[in-house]
Amino acid sequence: MADTTVELNHLKPKVNKLEKEKAEQDLDIHPDYLCGIGACKPKWMQKLAHRNVYMISYCILNMCQGMFYTYMISILSTVERRFAVPSKVTGFIMTGNEFSSIIAAIPVAYFGSQGHKPRWIAMGMFVSACAAFIIALPEFVIPGNEALLQAYTNSSSKDVCQLNDNNLNLCEQERSTNSFTAMALIFIGLFVYGLGTLPMYSLGYTYIDDNVPKKTMPAYLGVSMGLRVIGPSVGYMLGGIFLKMYHDLEKTPDFGPKDPRWIGAWWLGFFVIGCCIVLSSSFILLFPRELTLNGEKPTLLKKKKKLTEALNLPSIKDFPSAIKRVLNNNILIALTFEANFYLLGIVGFGTFMPKYLEAQFGQSASTASIITGSSTSVAVMIIGLVSSGFIIKYFKPRPRVLSGYSIFLGVLHFVTLIVCMNIVCEEIVIIEGNFTADNLLQLSTSCNADCLCTTEKFTPVCDQSLQQTYFSACYAGCTTYNASSKSYSNCNCVDSSLTEEALELGKCPTDCNAFIWYVAIMTAMRFLLSTERVGSTLIYFRCIDPKDKSLALGWLNSVLCLFAFLPCTIIYGAVVDSTCIVWEESCGERGNCWVYDVDKLRKWLHGITAGLLITSQLFQCYVWYKCKDLKLYEEIAEKEENDKDVSLPLKENSQQVES
């Protein structure tokens, strides 16, 4: 009996050891390889710790984030009218998120690269969601210019010419718009939003690259970039939908979205986008610090983890040497310059594209937003990105082929912009006086000099027989308004010998097929450009040391924000404002622009963008020359090196870690 007891006691440690090892294997050994939060890491959830599941989750988050910027672009002209500010002011406000990137992009990338990447990404996007809600606040805390506008709209005069002092005295009414406060809130919101997106930009793709085989990375890049394109398109679509709704949901005005007085529900989309970001970020939060690699045993992962935790912690002391490695990379610096000039033009042009479509082709703000992010454009870009990713995966073109293709498309894009610059519609001319010395349209003439007209609101009227548009019935000298037909008569500035028709509210319609050609050419160019993005990103990833990937992306983000994203909206905003010929003015204060010199606007927008694009290709030529020996698809022998490190003096290394 005693011998049996001794034998059982002797076997008991072995049984306990086997049970312990089995339990460790069931739990995948190390917490950093487990899905969940804190102690809540159930076994069923571990099936989701796969790179494909992460890819889908990251793409959804990317789509939600991508909605934000394009939605902001789509409502920009409405914000200008809502708070009576010029384009150069909104252009500066749009740089809010760039300031935060300049300040924090590199530190976040450096310290986040060795941290829990999914949690960094998720927590950052929670901050961005809060920022979206902040941007919508001005609608509720700032009364806005609408009170004054509504007073004018509801007046019995209906903007006709009045030859006495009984006309509505705008300067005696309180100007309720506090433009500075509204713009400050939006700027703060954009600044906070930029801080929140930094981890996603610098850590998101590196997390994928760290957890997928190098030879399949092009396909993953193509799919992720292709799905991300849906986000910006949805942002434009949301802008088109919400701008058709009046900004005060409790009121129904007697004019429609094409009326310059219309202000859409610009604020509503930020609540929708913010909620989408919160939901998608919550799932990213559950992913492990690292995904287990195929074929590796849990026991090996545990031992490797102990070593890497001690060796890979970032430190401030190593930061200068890491920055030096990045700055000494010639290909990386050339790619940074190329991207800077390219995005300086593309982002600036895209920011004011809806405004250009409104001015040149007579589209409403909602229609311009929908066209800019049309489903057709999205579909062709998705096809281009995904197909190029798989083509690169299977055919494995050399670095110079990919770089040369980028140069070819850059030159073709330059030619396309020159062609599009010459696609025009007949300009809707405002029939008034002559131009002043500073190139502003002089609206006051002898026929309306006594009418007490203002440019505080743009209510165009049309002479259908002569196809002539007047800035307002007041400036046309009309003294009679017919409420039933919504028309004006007895107009002093209209030559009665040429027409006897009453003037109708709204701009004269134009029948222009050029708009269709413009959109078609731009859509085709978007498709071609989308086929180049995967190759360029792959070259960028492979020209740097693997341990510096996140830092290099942070460096790129910081530089682009400082020299591309920050100045582009300011520069293009000033360019757009320079083409304005009629400003909104009230009580001596200048607000937003009502009428542009469309010919000048068209040439400046396309010409400046084309010049920046062709400049960027000079740096791409240098990349083509230097990138010959880059290894794009070969697996880096990290796994073999790590196995050696673990299998060699494992006890000795473990003792060093424990000490």
Side-chain angles (χ1 to χ4, degrees):
M1 186 70 177
D3 294 340
T4 304
T5 302
V6 172
E7 187 176 351
L8 290 174
N9 289 335
H10 178 70
L11 294 174
K12 188 174 181 180
K14 294 183 178 181
V15 174
N16 290 341
K17 185 178 180 180
L18 291 173
E19 290 178 351
K20 184 178 179 180
E21 288 183 358
K22 186 177 185 303
E24 287 180 342
Q25 291 186 14
D26 289 341
L27 292 176
D28 288 336
I29 297 302
H30 199 282
D32 282 352
Y33 293 95
L34 297 175
C35 271
I37 302 176
C40 181
K41 297 179 178 179
K43 185 177 179 180
W44 62 265
M45 189 180 290
Q46 307 319 311
K47 296 179 180 180
L48 301 177
H50 192 275
R51 57 178 178 263
N52 291 341
V53 179
Y54 171 80
M55 246 274 289
I56 295 172
S57 305
Y58 182 69
C59 288
I60 294 174
L61 178 61
N62 239 333
M63 285 189 285
C64 295
Q65 187 275 333
M67 289 190 288
F68 178 89
Y69 190 76
T70 53
Y71 181 79
M72 189 72 200
I73 292 174
S74 70
I75 55 96
L76 211 56
S77 60
T78 300
V79 170
E80 291 177 7
R81 292 196 299 270
R82 170 66 172 85
F83 300 106
V85 293
S87 294
K88 62 183 178 183
V89 173
T90 54
F92 175 77
I93 295 304
M94 289 289 288
T95 64
N97 62 326
E98 318 308 343
F99 279 107
S100 56
S101 297
I102 293 168
I103 295 170
I106 294 178
V108 167
Y110 180 68
F111 291 101
S113 62
Q114 300 300 333
H116 196 300
K117 292 186 179 74
R119 289 182 187 171
W120 275 72
I121 295 170
M123 297 308 296
M125 293 311 297
F126 286 146
V127 172
S128 295
C130 295
F133 301 141
I134 293 174
I135 294 174
L137 280 180
E139 178 65 28
F140 305 98
V141 299
I142 306 297
N145 197 37
E146 182 61 15
L148 189 61
L149 188 62
Q150 199 65 31
Y152 219 135
T153 304
N154 293 336
S155 67
S156 58
S157 63
K158 287 296 180 183
D159 201 28
V160 296
C161 174
Q162 297 188 38
L163 304 178
N164 54 57
D165 293 334
N166 292 329
N167 192 17
L168 185 64
N169 193 337
L170 300 178
C171 292
E172 291 181 359
Q173 294 202 20
E174 180 183 0
R175 186 178 177 90
S176 58
T177 301
N178 192 334
S179 300
F180 176 81
T181 304
M183 294 299 102
L185 283 172
I186 295 176
F187 182 85
I188 292 171
L190 287 170
F191 182 87
V192 175
Y193 186 86
L195 286 176
T197 58
L198 290 179
M200 192 193 71
Y201 286 135
S202 56
L203 306 178
Y205 280 120
T206 58
Y207 186 79
I208 297 176
D209 194 41
D210 292 340
N211 291 283
V212 303
K214 298 295 178 287
K215 61 183 180 181
T216 61
M217 186 58 181
Y220 278 93
L221 279 177
V223 172
S224 61
M225 289 180 175
L227 293 178
R228 189 189 186 282
V229 171
I230 298 175
S233 175
V234 174
Y236 280 120
M237 296 297 178
L238 286 177
I241 292 171
F242 292 134
L243 290 180
K244 289 183 179 179
M245 303 165 61
Y246 196 59
H247 77 110
D248 188 339
L249 301 180
E250 297 180 351
K251 296 181 180 179
T252 304
D254 60 352
F255 47 87
K258 285 196 173 183
D259 193 294
R261 294 169 294 173
W262 181 271
I263 297 177
W266 65 275
W267 54 271
L268 196 54
F270 291 110
F271 286 103
V272 174
I273 294 172
C275 292
C276 290
I277 290 176
V278 169
L279 293 174
S280 55
S281 300
S282 300
F283 196 71
I284 290 288
L285 188 66
L286 301 175
F287 277 91
R289 178 170 179 161
E290 294 181 31
L291 299 174
T292 56
L293 300 178
N294 295 335
E296 290 196 294
K297 297 180 180 180
T299 53
L300 179 60
L301 288 174
K302 181 178 180 180
K303 293 172 182 177
K304 287 171 62 177
K305 195 64 188 172
K306 283 185 177 181
L307 296 176
T308 54
E309 283 179 341
L311 298 176
N312 290 338
L313 289 177
S315 65
I316 296 178
K317 185 178 71 172
D318 298 331
F319 184 69
S321 59
I323 289 292
K324 186 177 180 180
R325 286 196 302 270
V326 170
L327 295 181
N328 287 335
N329 190 320
N330 293 334
I331 296 179
L332 178 67
I333 298 302
L335 284 172
T336 302
F337 275 103
E338 186 270 339
N340 188 83
F341 281 98
Y342 181 81
L343 292 175
L344 181 61
I346 291 301
V347 175
F349 184 80
T351 300
F352 294 96
M353 172 63 76
K355 183 184 288 289
Y356 175 72
L357 296 181
E358 292 179 48
Q360 174 65 71
F361 300 106
Q363 304 299 313
S364 67
S366 59
T367 302
S369 176
I370 292 174
I371 291 298
T372 305
S374 65
S375 57
T376 303
S377 297
V378 174
V380 299
M381 290 180 70
I382 292 175
I383 294 172
L385 286 164
V386 175
S387 61
S388 63
F390 281 97
I391 288 173
I392 292 174
K393 175 188 174 183
Y394 288 110
F395 291 96
K396 295 180 174 57
R398 304 314 303 162
R400 279 192 169 180
V401 175
L402 296 177
S403 181
Y405 184 61
S406 296
I407 296 172
F408 167 74
L409 288 183
V411 175
L412 182 62
H413 196 182
F414 169 82
V415 174
T416 300
L417 284 171
I418 300 301
V419 171
C420 287
M421 184 171 65
N422 294 284
I423 298 178
V424 298
C425 280
E426 182 181 354
E427 185 177 354
I428 300 176
V429 180
I430 304 298
I431 306 298
E432 299 295 350
N434 299 320
F435 283 91
T436 62
D438 52 354
N439 202 37
L440 295 178
L441 186 61
Q442 181 63 44
L443 297 178
S444 297
T445 59
S446 58
C447 62
N448 58 31
D450 299 325
C451 290
L452 304 176
C453 304
T454 72
T455 59
E456 184 168 9
K457 62 191 180 76
F458 182 27
T459 53
V461 291
C462 173
D463 184 344
Q464 293 285 358
S465 61
L466 299 178
Q467 285 294 294
Q468 293 179 343
T469 301
Y470 296 84
F471 184 86
S472 68
C474 182
Y475 278 110
C478 303
T479 58
T480 305
Y481 173 70
N482 189 326
S484 60
S485 62
K486 294 184 179 180
S487 61
Y488 299 86
S489 57
N490 298 324
C491 303
N492 297 327
C493 298
V494 178
D495 190 347
S496 57
S497 64
L498 298 177
T499 179
E500 296 182 356
E501 292 187 9
L503 303 187
E504 297 181 3
L505 189 63
K507 297 178 183 178
C508 294
T510 58
D511 185 16
C512 180
N513 294 325
F515 176 63
I516 299 175
W517 284 106
Y518 186 89
V519 173
I521 293 174
M522 282 297 189
T523 300
M525 195 65 237
R526 281 186 179 184
F527 167 74
L528 293 175
L529 291 174
S530 66
T531 62
E532 176 268 344
R533 288 177 59 184
V534 174
S536 296
T537 305
L538 194 63
I539 291 177
Y540 190 87
F541 274 9
R542 298 296 175 256
C543 76
I544 54 183
D545 193 308
K547 62 185 176 183
D548 293 330
K549 278 186 296 189
S550 294
L551 179 61
L553 287 177
W555 148 264
L556 178 66
N557 190 22
S558 182
V559 171
L560 292 181
C561 286
L562 181 60
F563 297 107
F565 300 139
L566 177 63
C568 75
T569 51
I570 298 176
I571 293 172
Y572 275 79
V575 168
V576 169
D577 280 348
S578 70
T579 65
C580 183
I581 57 176
V582 179
W583 290 93
E584 182 268 348
E585 291 187 5
S586 177
C587 306
E589 296 182 16
R590 177 177 289 185
N592 57 286
C593 181
W594 287 128
V595 183
Y596 292 95
D597 182 341
V598 178
D599 186 61
K600 193 175 180 182
L601 176 65
R602 171 172 51 82
K603 292 177 180 178
W604 275 109
L605 274 183
H606 292 80
I608 292 176
T609 305
L612 290 170
L613 290 186
I614 205 66
T615 303
S616 71
Q617 297 313 303
L618 299 178
F619 295 98
Q620 187 64 248
C621 290
Y622 178 82
V623 173
W624 178 88
Y625 176 75
K626 298 288 289 186
C627 72
K628 179 181 178 181
D629 297 324
L630 284 182
K631 299 183 184 302
L632 300 183
Y633 317 102
E634 293 80 356
E635 288 287 344
I636 300 174
E638 295 177 359
K639 184 175 182 299
E640 291 76 7
E641 292 178 3
N642 288 334
D643 289 344
K644 291 178 182 178
D645 291 338
V646 174
S647 61
L648 279 173
L650 195 55
K651 292 183 179 179
E652 181 181 344
N653 288 335
S654 299
Q655 289 173 359
Q656 292 177 1
V657 172
E658 291 173 0
S659 63

